Each structure stands twice: as C-alpha cells, then as structure tokens.
Amino acid sequence: MVEGTTGDTLVKEAAETATETKRTAADTIREEAGKLGTKAADKARDFAADNKDKATGALDEVAKLMHGAAADVDERLGEQYGKYARSAADGISKFSDTIRGKEVDDLVADATDFVKKSPVIAIGAAAAIGFVLARLIKSGIDAAADLADGDDDEPAAKA
C-alpha cells in the first residue's frame, strides 16, 4: 500500500511539473509576442514618420505649383479665379504645416476620431483615394506598356 501512495505522489508531482512547465512556456511566448509587437509598432511608427515627411514635402510642392499656376489663371481667366487657386494653395500649405507639426500617434488618433464621427465621409474619401490610386497605377502600367511596344517596333522599322 505504501508503494501505491508513493506512485500517486510521483504522478501528482509529474502533473504539477508539467502544468508549471506549460505555464512557463505560455508566459514566455506571451512575453516574446509582446516584444515583437512593440518592435513592429516602433518600426511602423518610424516608417510613418518618414513617410509623413515625404507627404508634407509633396504637399508643399503642390502648393508651390498652385501658387505658380494662379498667376497663369489670373492672365487667362481673370483675377477672381486666380484668387481661388491661391486660396487652394494656401489651404494645402496650411494642411501640410498641420501635419508637419503633429506626431504620428496624434495623426492616427485624429484619423480614428474622424472615422468614428463621420464614417460615411471616411468611406467616401477612402473610395475616392482608391480610385485615384488605381487610375495612377493604371496610367503607369499603360505608359510602361507603350514604352515596351515602342521598343519592339524599333528593330522592325530599321530592318
């Protein structure tokens, strides 16, 4: 009977050890996943900050182009329409300055708040942006195809 009790004790100890090992492994996995998540978030934040700088630079360039075009519009259509172009350029410039002055986390929070307050506008804007991007990509693909077709025609023309 003593051996049965010792056997039961060994089985219980083995079960407890297995349970503790399982808990330790789960904790380790959770901890490592947390570290990876933090690293991924940091990299995403760095990437977004780099692209924020590129976007504000591009917006500044668009504003400069619009200011330059405003004089052209003044000459061709009248000062009233040039005023609209300058106003749009100023708006783009202010938007660029606003983006430049905020941290990425603040921009994400603002976007999240906007989507919560105006989901229909957010979906419409996303659809419009998607349409514009699709058109840009398609025009780039078409231009590349035209260039490739032009390269194919040259040897035949020379022969």
Side-chain angles (χ1 to χ4, degrees), residues 43-91:
K43 284 193 181 217
R45 203 171 283 113
D46 291 343
F47 180 75
D50 289 344
N51 284 313
K52 178 185 88 160
D53 293 339
K54 290 177 185 176
T56 55
L59 287 170
D60 289 339
E61 289 300 316
V62 169
K64 285 179 189 175
L65 288 172
M66 288 189 72
H67 272 293
D72 217 20
V73 170
D74 284 342
E75 291 176 16
R76 293 181 185 199
L77 301 175
E79 287 185 24
Q80 178 183 6
Y81 296 105
K83 179 179 149 187
Y84 292 133
R86 275 187 286 287
S87 176
D90 290 341

Side-chain angles (χ1 to χ4, degrees), residues 16-39:
E16 288 173 6
T17 302
T19 303
E20 184 61 33
T21 302
K22 200 185 303 183
R23 243 184 254 133
T24 303
D27 290 342
T28 303
I29 290 170
R30 236 180 262 115
E31 185 179 311
E32 290 301 317
K35 287 179 185 177
L36 286 175
T38 301
K39 283 183 183 178

Side-chain angles (χ1 to χ4, degrees), residues 1-13:
M1 201 83 171
V2 174
E3 282 185 29
T5 306
T6 304
D8 290 342
T9 304
L10 289 174
V11 169
K12 285 181 186 178
E13 287 177 7

Side-chain angles (χ1 to χ4, degrees), residues 130-147:
F131 175 76
V132 168
L133 287 175
R135 295 296 300 166
L136 288 171
I137 291 169
K138 184 177 181 337
S139 67
I141 290 171
D142 290 346
D146 289 346
L147 284 174

